[in-house]
Amino acid sequence: MTRAELDAVPSYVVNPIPERKINLSTNEVPFGPLPGVAEAVAAATAKVHRYPEMAATGLRDALAARYRVAPERLVTGAGSAALIEHLVRATAAGGGEVVHPWRSFEAYPMLIAGGGGRSVPVPCTPDHRHDLDAILAAVTPATRMILLCHPNNPTGVGLTGAELAAFLDAVPPHLVVAVDEAYREFVTDPALPDALVEHGHRPNVVVLRTFSKAWGLAGIRLGFLVASAEVATAVRKVVTPFSTNALAQAAGLAALRAEPEMLRRVGLVVSERDRLAKALSAWIDGIPAAQANCLWLPVGERAVELARACEERGVLVRPFAGEGVRVTVGTGEENDAFLAAIAEVLA
Ligand SMILES: Cc1ncc(COP(=O)(O)O)c(C=O)c1O
């Protein structure tokens, strides 16, 4: 009764998070909603018997002003994950190929399949970089889209300005290149370009951003993309109607008003990220310099065992069997608990 190709697609599993555990497994920011968000959402609940404003005009205009793009180039949705699927539906439905790096965001194969595309994963280099030459070489006449993750989840490694520019110059201009910048706000290395600022003007470039990470709205589901007006118009046609819900619109507007506090919190995450990286590097080799709000521990075959041992000590981290463990940067206290747990495990 359902599409046979879905049988081969892995399910996206996020296990329930027990309240009593420290959760460093899902890449959120740990400080609660930004000031003004809870109040704005509470006020918006008074009208939840009505449909939301379909085009999310107020939020779209605020985003357009904040990111200096024309509103018609913006599409909002129920998280950037949903928008990735919509984008695939708009470019590759019917079995078109979508080339993407791997290991990367674990939902990509599912979102590509969900949008009716065919996932073509291209292994990252041993030092966790996108293998851009191999990605280009994987392009065939059946390719409809390339998806990059910058910086990459789970490794936190991004592209340099020269790399990204040369890659975009080399891609055939009819192919959409989607740059997923879910973690952009955590980037501190000036070598990593802001793809929206540097390349957003290219007609085939689509930049994806989310309110789930730095902006603290993971539970409410809000993301957006910026594309050429033509691509944005096509995506809008396949977005599930009203999926930028009324509470998300209110929350997004309130979060944007709290940008200075968002930046302050990102500063805390970044300094904790650097502290954690330094401490962990004394015990584990090859941790890449992270530019997201997580660290990648390339522990290979020990990944599952290590995560289980941390869980037994009250800290949840994300294992990728046979590859490594991703740990989200938490509060100072949470990170200390993780360091204590892992010190015990490694001893
Ligand atoms: C690289 C990347 N893209 C997109 C997403 C999805 O974000 P959203 O919550 O906006 O759907 C995530 C979430 O972990 C991610 O890591």
Side-chain angles (χ1 to χ4, degrees):
M1 285 185 281
T2 58
R3 285 155 48 202
E5 68 268 23
L6 294 182
D7 294 347
V9 177
S11 297
Y12 185 29
V13 181
V14 178
N15 293 324
I17 311 292
E19 278 294 324
R20 64 190 186 286
K21 304 259 192 218
I22 294 173
N23 179 22
L24 302 182
S25 71
T26 39
N27 280 5
E28 298 120 344
V29 166
F31 308 114
L34 287 165
V37 165
E39 294 80 356
V41 171
T45 58
K47 290 234 177 110
V48 291
H49 60 300
R50 301 288 184 198
Y51 282 104
E53 205 226 315
M54 184 151 162
T57 314
L59 175 62
R60 203 153 59 120
D61 288 348
L63 287 168
R66 164 64 185 81
Y67 290 96
R68 297 170 192 269
V69 295
E72 59 268 25
R73 296 184 54 210
L74 267 156
V75 186
T76 59
S80 56
L83 287 166
I84 291 167
E85 192 193 290
H86 300 329
L87 189 58
V88 173
R89 217 185 294 165
T91 58
E97 292 174 358
V98 179
V99 182
H100 62 93
W102 197 251
R103 162 74 46 198
S104 189
F105 179 33
E106 63 269 32
Y108 285 159
M110 288 150 257
L111 298 171
I112 292 166
R118 208 164 68 72
S119 155
V120 179
V122 174
C124 290
T125 64
D127 56 348
H128 313 293
R129 307 193 65 76
H130 286 13
D131 189 339
L132 294 173
D133 291 338
I135 288 175
L136 265 183
V139 170
T140 73
T143 308
R144 293 289 170 269
M145 184 170 119
I146 296 171
L147 178 56
L148 306 177
C149 193
H150 169 66
N152 191 44
N153 172 10
T155 52
V157 177
L159 301 157
T160 66
E163 263 178 345
L164 182 59
F167 178 79
L168 293 174
D169 286 345
V171 169
H174 70 276
L175 267 190
V176 165
V177 181
V179 187
D180 182 351
E181 293 197 307
Y183 299 97
R184 175 64 213 173
E185 292 83 0
F186 304 102
V187 171
T188 50
D189 180 352
L192 269 59
D194 177 323
L196 180 55
V197 170
E198 300 293 329
H199 300 289
H201 60 280
R202 297 187 189 232
N204 65 331
V205 167
V206 178
V207 176
L208 291 137
R209 296 283 180 94
T210 181
F211 274 74
S212 296
K213 308 297 175 185
W215 295 96
L217 295 182
I220 214 153
R221 313 306 303 130
L222 179 63
F224 67 96
L225 63 74
V226 182
S228 69
E230 291 73 19
V231 171
T233 300
V235 174
R236 235 174 260 123
K237 289 177 184 171
V238 300
V239 168
T240 309
F242 303 110
S243 58
T244 307
N245 73 66
L247 305 187
Q249 292 185 32
L253 280 166
L256 283 173
R257 285 192 290 270
E259 182 165 356
E261 174 61 10
M262 179 278 280
L263 292 172
R264 190 188 72 81
R265 294 177 183 196
V266 163
L268 297 176
V269 169
V270 164
S271 70
E272 278 296 303
R273 172 183 80 195
D274 297 346
R275 178 175 79 92
L276 262 183
K278 206 165 160 206
L280 290 165
S281 295
W283 302 322
I284 297 168
D285 289 335
I287 298 176
Q291 290 289 298
N293 66 335
C294 56
L295 291 167
W296 177 245
L297 315 182
V299 292
E301 294 305 324
R302 288 154 65 213
V304 171
E305 165 210 329
L306 211 102
R308 193 174 305 130
C310 287
E311 183 172 354
E312 282 163 13
R313 288 160 178 80
V315 184
L316 301 173
V317 293
R318 189 73 188 262
F320 294 86
E323 296 178 61
V325 169
R326 186 190 72 194
V327 53
T328 304
V329 179
T331 63
E333 234 174 28
E334 290 172 335
N335 300 332
D336 283 342
F338 169 67
L339 286 174
I342 201 150
E344 210 177 293
V345 173
L346 293 174

